[in-house]
């Protein structure tokens, strides 16, 4: 699974795999696999869904990464202002910007890997894209559950936390009440998204060029140059440096929020605490 854009267009053109003879070794019967023509068409459709859904979801991710940077500079009060401003744009379209593309991306990526495995009779090699993609699932889904779904519970003491009530004070309470698991969750989420998105850009550039018909030499050369630079040794170095920088920014933001969290009112703290106690893993891992 590759929850960011990946290329792919031919019968087996996924860059993570190398096709092998579908008939198997000499003298062995051909396995029961999809025909090259039909599976090639399916792969192209899955690649289109995978890349398009990633592009849509990336709009939300880009906007969502701004407030943590602001929190590292100005603390919870300033970050809340940027968060509320961002929510003005994406909350009305949340199902279309978040839930639908994320679901389509996971399903299309998984189906694509399965189809390639059936065609080549081998599992795709473990690349940065695949590793970070699968590792992101246990980070992203609990994040959505804790920050969006459970807070909408109408029953007390949660009592349907509004967007204005569910700001960085909520994150501050998480850091103060569950410092280890919350720090790991936030830094891990950012630390996986950055390299995953970077590799996704590497792959979506040639896919967009083919899909949109960018055949001019100037445009093709520019896009190919971007792809080559991002894939090269220096490009990987920039990716790792950017990942470390973003993780460091989040760590600074969390430290500031830990200080700001001491001013949360007891009533709001009780509502926030009820959200965490409603999770399925709270009885297992507890508050640490």
């Amino acid at each position: 699974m590759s929850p960011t854009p990946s290329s792919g267009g031919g019968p087996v053109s996924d860059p993570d795999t190398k096709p092998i003879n579908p008939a198997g070794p000499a003298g062995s019967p051909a396995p029961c696999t999809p025909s090259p023509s039909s599976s090639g068409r399916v792969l192209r459709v899955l690649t289109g869904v995978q890349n398009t859904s990633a592009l849509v979801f990336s709009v939300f991710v880009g906007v969502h990464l701004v407030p943590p940077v602001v929190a590292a500079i100005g603390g919870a009060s300033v970050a809340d202002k940027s968060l509320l401003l961002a929510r003005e744009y994406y909350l009305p379209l949340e199902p279309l910007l978040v839930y639908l593309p994320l679901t389509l991306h996971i399903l299309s990526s998984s189906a694509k890997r399965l189809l390639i495995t059936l065609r080549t009779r081998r599992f795709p090699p473990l690349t940065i894209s695949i590793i970070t993609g699968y590792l992101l699932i246990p980070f992203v889904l609990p994040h959505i559950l804790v920050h969006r779904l459970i807070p909408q519970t109408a029953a007390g003491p949660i009592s349907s936390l509004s967007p204005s009530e569910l700001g960085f004070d909520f994150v501050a309470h998480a850091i103060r009440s569950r410092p280890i698991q919350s720090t790991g969750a936030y830094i891990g989420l950012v630390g996986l998204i950055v390299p995953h998105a970077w590799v996704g850009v590497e792959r979506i550039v040639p896919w967009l060029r083919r899909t949109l018909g960018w055949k001019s030499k100037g445009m093709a050369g520019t896009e190919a140059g971007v792809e080559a630079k991002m894939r090269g040794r220096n490009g990987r170095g920039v990716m790792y440096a950017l990942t470390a920088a973003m993780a460091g920014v989040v760590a600074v933001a969390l430290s500031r929020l830990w200080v700001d969290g001491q001013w949360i009112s007891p009533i709001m703290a009780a509502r926030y605490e009820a959200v965490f106690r409603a999770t399925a893993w709270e009885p297992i891992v507890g508050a640490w």
Side-chain angles (χ1 to χ4, degrees):
M1 194 278 299
S2 174
T4 45
S6 64
S7 67
V12 183
S13 58
D14 192 284
D16 291 336
T17 61
K18 295 181 180 179
I20 63 172
N21 181 7
S28 63
C32 182
T33 58
S35 65
S37 59
S38 63
S39 60
R41 287 192 295 269
V42 173
L43 275 174
R44 285 191 289 272
V45 171
L46 290 175
T47 298
V49 174
Q50 182 186 36
N51 291 347
T52 303
S53 59
L55 280 172
V56 175
F57 188 70
S58 66
V59 174
F60 163 75
V61 172
V63 173
H64 205 57
L65 285 177
V66 174
V69 176
V70 176
I73 300 172
S77 61
V78 179
D80 274 335
K81 295 178 181 178
S82 65
L83 181 61
L84 289 174
L85 179 63
R87 285 175 173 174
E88 288 290 330
Y89 293 95
Y90 74 75
L91 273 185
L93 300 174
E94 189 174 39
L96 297 178
L97 285 178
V98 181
Y99 303 129
L100 180 60
L102 181 61
T103 301
L104 289 176
H105 194 66
I106 293 175
L107 293 178
S108 61
S109 300
S110 300
K112 183 178 175 182
R113 296 301 172 203
L114 176 61
L115 182 58
I116 292 174
T117 300
L118 291 176
R119 284 204 59 188
T120 61
R121 293 189 296 160
R122 64 177 62 173
F123 291 106
L126 292 178
T127 62
I128 294 176
S129 177
I130 295 177
I131 294 172
T132 55
Y134 280 116
L135 288 178
L136 270 170
I137 293 178
F139 282 88
V140 172
L141 298 186
H143 185 83
I144 294 175
L145 185 67
V146 171
H147 292 76
R148 294 298 304 139
L149 301 183
I150 295 179
Q152 297 176 16
T153 303
I158 297 176
S159 303
S160 299
L161 288 161
S162 67
S164 61
E165 294 173 322
L166 201 64
F168 276 87
D169 280 349
F170 180 77
V171 179
H173 176 80
I175 293 299
R176 291 186 69 88
S177 63
R178 293 158 179 81
I180 297 178
Q181 58 177 295
S182 296
T183 301
Y186 291 123
I187 294 181
L189 185 62
V190 173
L192 291 170
I193 280 181
V194 172
H196 194 73
W198 183 279
V199 175
V201 172
E202 292 178 356
R203 298 178 178 185
I204 203 173
V205 166
W207 177 80
L208 276 177
R209 188 170 64 246
R210 293 193 304 270
T211 303
L212 300 179
W214 292 342
K215 296 182 179 180
S216 67
K217 292 183 179 180
M219 178 63 73
T222 300
E223 299 298 332
V226 171
E227 181 187 3
K229 289 179 180 179
M230 294 184 71
R231 286 181 179 272
R233 181 178 300 177
N234 292 337
R236 283 292 183 263
V238 173
M239 180 189 73
Y240 293 132
L242 181 61
T243 302
M246 283 301 301
V249 168
V250 172
V252 173
L254 294 178
S255 65
R256 294 204 61 164
L257 292 173
W258 188 89
V259 176
D260 294 342
Q262 62 184 315
W263 311 116
I264 299 175
S265 69
I267 295 177
M268 289 305 301
R271 297 175 69 187
Y272 293 157
E273 184 65 21
V275 172
F276 290 99
R277 295 196 177 192
T279 61
W281 57 86
E282 179 75 9
I284 302 174
V285 301
W288 48 269

